[in-house]
Amino acid sequence: MDGGMSYQRFPKVKIREMKDDMVKFELRETDASVANALRRVMIAEVPTVAIDLVEIEVNSSVLNDEFIAHRLGLIPLTSDRAMSMRFSRDCDACDGDGQCEFCSVEFHLRAKCLTDQTLDVTSKDLYSSDHTVVPVEFSDPNDPGEQRGIIIVKLRRGQELRLRAIARKGIGKDHAKWSPAATVTFMYEPMIRINEDLMDTLSLEEKRTWIESSPTKVFDLDPVTQQVVVVEPELYTYDDEVIKKADAMGKSGLVEIEAKEDSFIFTVESTGAIKASQLVLNAIEILKQKLDAVRLSDDTVEADDQFGELGAHLRGG
Amino acid sequence: MGKQAMGNIAYNQLRRMDTLLYLLVYPQRPLLTTKTIELVGYDKLGAGQNATVAVMSYSGYDIADAIVMNKSSLDRGFGRCIVMKRYSVVLQKYENDTQDRILRLDRKGYGAKHMRILDDDGMASPWEIISPQDIYINKQSPAFTRGTRVPPSELPNIRYKSSKQTFKGPEGEYCVVDRVALYNDRHNNISIKFLIRHTRRPEVGDKFSSRHGQKGVCGTIIQQEDFPFSERGICPDLIMNPHGFPSRMTVGKMIELLGGKAGVSCGRFHYGSAFGEPSGHADTVEAMSEILVNKGFSYIGKDFLYSGITGCPLQAYIFMGPIYYQKLKHMVLDKMHARADGPRVLLTRQPTEGRARNGGLRVGEMERDCLIAYGASMLIFERLMISSDPFEVQVCRICGLLGYYNHHLKTGICSSCKKRDGMSTMKLPYACKLLIQELQSMNIVPRLKLAEA
């Protein structure tokens, strides 16, 4: 960096909870723009594989072809390979028709109901040509042994469904079916300071009603000292209810609540297409690629006059 | 539910052959009902979807009752509908014992590319994708249908003219022949009905409504990542402008939002009558607020949201919750219309009127007045004359009547003076020339007095 001030910061991540389909982590020492960029990339730009083309051979079910095709598209497929796959539109092996092994995966479905009982056609009936890309498996938390698929259509006696489907790589920006994120959200970490002197002026009953006024259980009464303590600051939803209550009780300034501008608590839930932890890592990778694209483009070099320090900063000052 | 709302029509909806049938792909049962709705069984057939609505202003594309929709919700099937349209063809019998006939398709030659979807029997086969200009029945009618009876032995030799039916659907859309039915009508003619299906996702300009008469069109469709979100991860399906409330006083809609939110939080359908019911069945606003608080929401139903664009908190708490939204059958696809050049009315030579006739858009009296006030005289001239019905006439300067142009002598002639000289060529609207001649036929003589310009 040529003498100018650097704006670079080194965000810290602390993982709180990590399951296959859910991750909760803290992101500190950065600002809303970075946190939001990460969130946006997770929703819209992390690639997955989803069914994109359906050729129906026989469909005598009650749902029409487009209906079934739409439902098939929304089934999450395991997409750990998606990052290294090619987009069909820039695949040179198949000239963009999107039917080659490098950019697509073929599925087959054959189901016919032969009994009097209704047959559920589920995502488990989809046979993939590639064992790495298969419909996501869901198990009942009460009965982990049994795997349940996503119901595509129900068939009655004599009805039949036979189709061929092609799954392709894509991103959530083009269609929500390619979005690996079920929920991606963050909140600012709240800083709660109780004015102990003022709090001591409250009677026990008043303390209780004040604690009750918060819709979420942020505060509690210490059973020993009878003092109000903050039990779970993150449950606070910035609803201002306790502040309003304090004002109504004539005790303005009883509690001060601020949002820490540089700490975020992220909750990421995945559809199952990729692990939630992988989703975060992939998002960071894509964000890096996007920044590289900005940094390496000639435009930013030319724009140095215009942006000066910022331009150099973008190119890694 | 209502007359214009889409949803389930009846349990036999897919066996029917209605002229026009609008169905919703994923209809839902309303979260907030009333006892009456249940008694009547109105909730047995879904007529809309429970959309998470945020009452806020967003992007400016939501003013004047427009709504902003979430693209991801649309991708996942919100507001998706199936439009089924029936086309009937009758094989008519005529008084001379002749009859319409269906021809097998022509696989080669002129017009074969529009006969792709025809089966060997000359009718479109079910499940085929049909595009505009495609022929769905290759029918022929006898050239002569009146007069003396044609003996049966002569029938194969009579002349036929083509009367094949072409599909005139929306351009560039994916329509499918859903079903083909053959039957005899009451005159014992063979009739064929084609049911053509089209699945549509909502687009800008489609009309939606809640159950409180709060209708509005979709103003814009925005990506999910740009939509506001709460720290629980809730993101609305649509955004409605708060200006819809004060003047219309739809308190019921706010109660519905509150009751719906309480309903999804505790997993029970609520009753939403405004004043409670004598039986005590209805849930009061207080009871709903209580549930909301128990589930960690604010008692007034407002949420703390973050902007999806910047990631910063929004300055106000947003009233957000589920409201039952109906898709109405007025869709832009059926209404949009534009014309550059096109058909004209025979009598006046002016452009035709209406979308069905590919008509022009009229610059009416009021629009004309605006242009006069603005002083755009050349624009008025262009719209009212050049783009409408310009016509060249020969006017006799002596008698002031209209003459005609003689192509042999290459000159204008006045038919009343019987003279060639003193003729002038001028342009006027064909409708004006028509008026002059119609007046003449009523014994009123309009005379044009020409002056040097």
Side-chain angles (χ1 to χ4, degrees):
Chain A
M1 186 87 205
D2 36 20
M5 203 183 76
S6 171
Y7 298 99
Q8 196 169 12
R9 296 171 83 178
F10 295 92
K12 290 188 176 61
V13 172
K14 187 180 154 202
I15 296 164
R16 286 203 178 160
E17 207 184 328
M18 193 158 79
K19 284 188 259 173
D20 272 3
D21 59 348
M22 199 265 262
V23 162
K24 228 174 170 165
F25 64 91
E26 292 164 13
L27 181 70
R28 289 179 193 279
E29 289 173 44
T30 187
D31 28 9
S33 56
V34 173
N36 197 42
L38 192 61
R39 182 192 73 91
R40 291 169 63 90
V41 169
M42 280 194 259
I43 293 173
E45 280 174 276
V46 175
T48 61
V49 179
I51 291 175
D52 195 31
L53 188 94
V54 180
E55 275 174 23
I56 291 176
E57 267 177 67
V58 182
N59 171 20
S60 52
S61 74
V62 287
L63 304 186
N64 60 47
D65 301 358
E66 307 94 276
F67 202 141
I68 289 173
H70 177 232
R71 291 182 70 81
L72 287 170
L74 291 172
I75 293 171
L77 306 175
T78 52
S79 320
D80 299 305
R81 247 183 62 205
M83 283 294 271
S84 54
M85 265 173 90
R86 290 184 199 161
F87 283 110
S88 296
R89 58 172 181 269
D90 38 47
C91 175
D92 1 284
C94 58
D95 297 328
D97 65 349
Q99 307 227 353
C100 74
E101 52 186 317
F102 299 107
C103 64
S104 68
V105 179
E106 199 176 290
F107 285 86
H108 284 275
L109 189 148
R110 279 163 183 276
K112 186 167 188 178
C113 181
L114 299 167
T115 59
D116 276 332
Q117 210 177 10
T118 311
L119 178 75
D120 291 353
V121 181
T122 68
S123 56
K124 279 164 41 190
D125 295 308
L126 275 172
Y127 288 99
S128 170
S129 63
D130 181 342
H131 66 96
T132 59
V133 179
V134 290
V136 169
E137 292 192 342
F138 294 92
S139 59
D140 189 345
N142 302 320
D143 182 12
E146 205 210 358
Q147 295 288 320
R148 291 184 303 177
I150 299 167
I151 295 185
I152 298 164
V153 69
K154 290 183 179 179
L155 299 181
R156 67 167 286 174
R157 192 189 186 102
Q159 292 179 339
E160 190 180 4
L161 182 62
R162 218 158 63 210
L163 56 88
R164 190 175 84 102
I166 286 172
R168 293 182 183 141
K169 178 185 175 178
I171 57 171
K173 203 179 257 182
D174 295 331
H175 195 283
K177 70 185 174 186
W178 280 303
S179 177
T183 305
V184 181
T185 184
F186 62 77
M187 67 179 288
Y188 287 85
E189 189 180 7
M191 284 244 294
I192 305 179
R193 272 193 304 273
I194 298 174
N195 186 335
E196 297 293 348
D197 294 340
L198 205 57
M199 188 59 85
D200 288 339
T201 62
L202 294 181
S203 71
L204 196 61
E205 197 47 45
E206 281 176 319
K207 280 180 187 169
R208 279 216 183 87
T209 53
W210 183 76
I211 288 167
E212 295 277 296
S213 72
S214 173
T216 47
K217 211 167 164 47
V218 182
F219 305 97
D220 207 353
L221 212 57
D222 193 306
V224 190
T225 59
Q226 305 283 298
Q227 270 187 323
V228 177
V229 284
V230 180
V231 280
E232 199 65 71
E234 272 138 41
L235 283 180
Y236 186 65
T237 55
Y238 295 97
D239 46 37
D240 279 356
E241 290 299 329
V242 282
I243 295 168
K244 281 186 218 151
K245 182 72 182 173
D247 289 347
M249 290 161 86
K251 305 275 181 192
S252 299
L254 185 66
V255 67
E256 263 180 60
I257 304 174
E258 264 176 59
K260 275 166 97 175
E261 298 270 305
D262 66 343
S263 317
F264 305 90
I265 299 153
F266 267 82
T267 312
V268 177
E269 282 174 40
S270 152
T271 56
I274 48 178
K275 281 185 180 162
S277 52
Q278 195 60 44
L279 169 57
V280 179
L281 294 176
N282 288 356
I284 294 170
E285 182 56 38
I286 286 160
L287 206 52
K288 267 157 90 179
Q289 284 171 14
K290 285 169 82 93
L291 288 172
D292 281 345
V294 175
R295 191 161 57 188
L296 297 174
S297 75
D298 295 336
D299 296 357
T300 49
V301 181
E302 283 162 19
D304 256 13
D305 300 335
Q306 198 185 337
F307 295 114
E309 205 177 85
L310 185 65
H313 174 71
L314 280 172
R315 273 176 284 113
Chain B
M1 222 148 156
K3 285 199 285 186
Q4 305 180 36
M6 289 183 205
N8 290 329
I9 292 297
Y11 291 127
N12 68 348
Q13 59 183 15
L14 297 175
R15 313 243 111 241
R16 292 163 67 109
M17 275 281 188
D18 300 72
T19 13
L20 206 51
L21 182 61
Y22 295 101
L23 301 173
L24 214 52
V25 172
Y26 292 110
Q28 292 177 346
R29 180 183 163 189
L31 276 168
L32 200 81
T33 49
T34 62
K35 193 78 194 170
T36 328
I37 285 180
E38 274 184 10
L39 291 172
V40 176
Y42 242 25
D43 56 344
K44 292 269 188 276
L45 292 168
Q49 286 160 330
N50 294 294
T52 302
V53 178
V55 182
M56 61 181 279
S57 172
Y58 190 93
S59 78
Y61 283 97
D62 60 348
I63 49 171
D65 283 335
I67 52 175
V68 177
M69 302 190 89
N70 183 333
K71 182 175 164 284
S72 296
S73 303
L74 305 187
D75 287 345
R76 292 181 181 117
F78 177 71
R80 199 168 278 242
C81 67
I82 303 168
V83 178
M84 306 250 236
K85 206 168 180 185
R86 189 235 290 157
Y87 296 82
S88 305
V89 177
V90 182
L91 296 188
Q92 203 76 49
K93 283 187 191 122
Y94 300 98
E95 55 183 72
N96 61 350
D97 279 1
T98 56
Q99 201 179 350
D100 291 345
R101 64 175 185 184
I102 309 174
L103 239 61
R104 298 185 66 173
L105 72 163
D106 181 10
R107 289 203 196 274
K108 289 191 281 283
Y110 181 74
K113 81 171 184 187
H114 289 306
M115 294 209 200
R116 267 175 304 124
I117 64 159
L118 292 186
D119 214 340
D120 277 342
D121 56 7
M123 293 181 253
S125 52
W127 305 356
E128 287 287 354
I129 296 168
I130 188 167
S131 27
Q133 268 70 59
D134 274 353
I135 290 156
Y136 58 87
I137 185 161
N138 194 15
K139 194 177 83 164
Q140 285 195 328
S141 305
F144 303 102
T145 57
R146 285 161 182 278
T148 51
R149 297 189 157 201
V150 180
S153 56
E154 277 299 302
L155 273 179
N157 304 326
I158 59 169
R159 283 212 296 135
Y160 282 94
K161 61 180 196 298
S162 172
S163 59
K164 51 195 171 200
Q165 300 289 308
T166 52
F167 176 61
K168 293 173 208 75
E171 203 68 54
E173 294 287 328
Y174 178 100
C175 296
V176 180
V177 181
D178 193 69
R179 232 157 347 124
V180 180
L182 277 83
Y183 67 105
N184 282 313
D185 71 0
R186 60 181 163 200
H187 305 297
N188 225 15
N189 295 318
I190 296 168
S191 303
I192 304 122
K193 285 177 177 178
F194 297 87
L195 200 64
I196 291 176
R197 155 167 51 90
H198 183 205
T199 305
R200 299 176 185 177
R201 56 178 286 164
E203 57 180 326
V204 171
D206 282 0
K207 198 172 177 185
F208 291 84
S209 173
S210 71
R211 289 179 294 173
H212 309 272
Q214 292 262 46
K215 56 183 193 277
V217 292
C218 171
T220 183
I221 296 167
I222 284 176
Q223 296 280 348
Q224 185 186 339
E225 62 267 25
D226 290 332
F227 253 59
F229 62 97
S230 78
E231 74 261 349
R232 290 170 189 246
I234 303 170
C235 179
D237 293 311
L238 53 93
I239 292 176
M240 187 213 140
N241 195 293
H243 290 104
F245 281 116
S247 59
R248 267 156 265 200
M249 295 183 279
T250 45
V251 185
K253 192 168 180 175
M254 298 193 227
I255 298 176
E256 182 180 352
L257 190 146
L258 217 59
K261 200 170 177 179
V264 276
S265 312
C266 74
R268 202 191 105 219
F269 289 96
H270 280 69
Y271 293 116
S273 337
F275 305 106
E277 273 158 17
S279 57
H281 272 301
D283 297 272
T284 56
V285 171
E286 286 82 5
M288 293 167 188
S289 291
E290 179 101 32
I291 295 168
L292 285 180
V293 171
N294 285 337
K295 301 293 171 190
F297 287 101
S298 158
Y299 73 100
I300 30 174
K302 290 186 180 179
D303 284 318
F304 182 75
L305 297 190
Y306 294 85
S307 160
I309 300 170
T310 63
C312 297
L314 295 180
Q315 290 297 303
Y317 296 112
I318 305 299
F319 193 50
M320 183 171 83
I323 294 178
Y324 196 63
Y325 256 82
Q326 299 165 318
K327 187 175 188 193
L328 305 185
K329 63 183 187 187
H330 306 280
M331 288 174 286
V332 259
L333 193 71
D334 304 320
K335 306 200 172 193
M336 66 173 182
H337 171 56
R339 153 174 168 154
D341 214 326
R344 277 154 198 278
V345 183
L346 190 69
L347 182 70
T348 62
R349 299 195 185 176
Q350 287 176 351
T352 51
E353 203 183 326
R355 183 182 124 101
R357 274 162 286 167
N358 189 25
L361 295 168
R362 185 180 151 94
V363 176
E365 272 176 88
M366 295 171 78
E367 290 79 5
R368 184 208 59 183
D369 289 349
C370 288
L371 294 174
I372 292 171
Y374 188 72
S377 57
M378 289 314 282
L379 182 62
I380 299 175
F381 180 62
E382 189 207 300
R383 291 289 96 195
L384 266 46
M385 168 88 162
I386 297 172
S387 304
S388 178
D389 55 345
F391 188 65
E392 205 161 77
V393 286
Q394 307 296 325
V395 185
C396 177
R397 284 195 299 271
I398 304 155
C399 65
L401 295 178
L402 301 183
Y404 62 91
Y405 187 78
N406 187 312
H407 285 274
H408 286 294
L409 303 170
K410 293 197 168 40
T411 170
I413 296 174
C414 175
S415 34
S416 74
C417 305
K418 308 264 188 303
K419 279 181 186 160
R420 291 193 216 176
D421 33 71
M423 295 304 287
S424 292
T425 310
M426 71 171 287
K427 273 184 180 164
L428 50 79
Y430 189 84
C432 179
K433 173 244 158 192
L434 188 71
L435 173 75
I436 292 170
Q437 289 181 328
E438 281 188 6
L439 286 172
Q440 282 176 343
S441 71
M442 288 185 285
N443 255 346
I444 302 166
V445 187
R447 291 183 195 274
L448 298 171
K449 277 190 182 163
L450 303 188
E452 287 301 323

